[in-house]
Amino acid sequence: MRYTILIPCHNEAGSLRAVLERVRADFPGEECLVVDDGSTDGTGEIATSVPGVRVHRLDPNRGKGVALRTGFSLAHGDAILMIDGDGQDDPAEMRLLADEIERGADFANGSKFIGTLEPGAISTPNYFGNRFMSGMINLLFRARVSDSQSGFRAVRADLIRAMKLRSVQYEIETEMLCQAIKRGARIVEVPVTRRPRSAGSTGFRRVRNGLRILFTILAERLRP
C-alpha cells in the first residue's frame, strides 16, 4: 500500500514545520504533498525547505475544497492520508488511520468526539454545529458517524477518483463523506486527539460555512 500524505494549508507558518517533520519521520519514503492555498506568511517557503516534501501552490487563495481537490488530482498513492497544517491533529495518529485502510476499510475517519478533545480545541458553537451536521447526515443517509467535519482521515484513492466532488470551501469533508456513504463504502471511525491551535487562526466562518455544509448535505441527499 502506497500512501500520499496530503496537507492543505493557508497561512500556517507557525505550525506547519512540526507537522511535516513528524509526517516525514513516520512515513519515510511515502509521498508528502502540501497544497499551499495562497498563503502570504511564508507557509510555502517553509514547506519547500523540508526535505522530501512536494509543494503545489495556488494563487490567489481558492478555498480548502479547491486545495484538496487539487491535491487529489496530483496524488500518486493507493490511499490518501489527509491532515491539516494547523497542528491541531496529532500526526503520530495517522498510523491509526492507515492501519484501518490496510485492514480493509475504504474510508477511515478520525473522530475527536470518540477520542480526546483537549481544552480549547473547539469552540462551543463549532462543537454543537458539528454534532448537528453529523446528526443530519445520520438521519438522512441512515449512517452512524460522530464527526462529519473531520479533516483528519484516510481514504482509498480509487474511492476518491469515483467521487464527483464540487466543493470549494470547508464543505469538502461533508461532500466526501456523503458520497462515500451513498457508494456503500466501508467507513470506520477512529478515535483521535484534537488539540488547541498553537499559532495562526482559522478561516472557518460559522454562519457562511455552516450554511454551505448544510446545503451540501441536502444536495447530496437529493442527487441520484
Side-chain angles (χ1 to χ4, degrees):
M1 178 72 70
R2 297 176 305 153
Y3 292 100
T4 294
I5 296 89
L6 174 56
I7 307 173
C9 51
H10 173 67
N11 289 344
E12 299 294 0
S15 55
L16 181 60
R17 183 179 297 278
V19 173
L20 290 175
E21 288 178 349
R22 186 57 194 256
V23 166
R24 297 302 299 144
D26 288 355
F27 289 85
E30 302 289 359
E31 180 178 49
C32 182
L33 174 60
V34 170
V35 179
D36 176 18
D37 187 19
S39 296
T40 57
D41 67 344
T43 290
E45 289 74 16
I46 288 172
T48 302
S49 72
V50 178
V53 176
R54 180 180 169 205
V55 182
H56 182 87
R57 300 191 187 189
L58 299 176
D59 188 24
N61 175 257
R62 304 275 301 280
K64 187 177 184 182
V66 175
L68 278 176
R69 289 193 288 118
T70 299
F72 296 153
S73 72
L74 297 171
H76 297 108
D78 302 307
I80 301 176
L81 286 161
M82 287 155 265
I83 185 170
D84 292 334
D86 58 15
Q88 289 195 262
D89 297 305
D90 185 355
E93 294 180 334
M94 283 197 305
R95 177 50 60 185
L96 302 176
L97 302 174
D99 286 347
E100 292 296 340
I101 296 295
E102 293 177 10
R103 281 194 283 263
D106 300 307
F107 192 124
N109 194 55
S111 174
K112 51 190 168 286
F113 298 126
I114 61 173
T116 302
L117 264 175
E118 294 187 0
I122 187 172
S123 69
T124 299
N126 286 358
Y127 174 90
F128 285 107
N130 190 325
R131 302 298 270 175
F132 172 77
M133 298 299 181
S134 299
M136 287 287 293
I137 290 173
N138 290 337
L139 177 65
L140 295 177
F141 292 85
R142 297 182 180 180
R144 294 182 65 183
V145 296
S146 63
D147 191 353
S148 60
Q149 313 308 307
S150 174
F152 192 28
R153 50 181 51 164
V155 185
R156 291 186 62 90
D158 54 359
L159 175 60
I160 291 177
R161 285 193 292 267
M163 296 178 179
K164 296 181 180 179
L165 300 172
R166 306 168 178 86
S167 292
V168 173
Q169 297 184 20
Y170 292 91
E171 68 276 9
I172 184 73
E173 283 96 2
T174 297
E175 185 180 39
M176 289 178 63
L177 182 59
C178 291
Q179 290 195 22
I181 294 168
K182 288 164 66 175
R183 289 182 174 277
R186 184 186 172 201
I187 300 171
V188 176
E189 286 207 305
V190 178
V192 296
T193 303
R194 184 71 168 176
R195 303 179 294 211
R197 270 183 174 269
S198 60
S201 60
T202 180
F204 187 87
R205 299 295 175 260
R206 284 189 202 114
V207 175
R208 182 180 67 189
N209 293 120
L211 289 174
R212 292 180 72 98
I213 291 168
L214 180 59
F215 175 80
T216 297
I217 295 171
L218 298 175
E220 286 298 326
R221 178 65 279 175
L222 294 174
R223 287 190 184 111

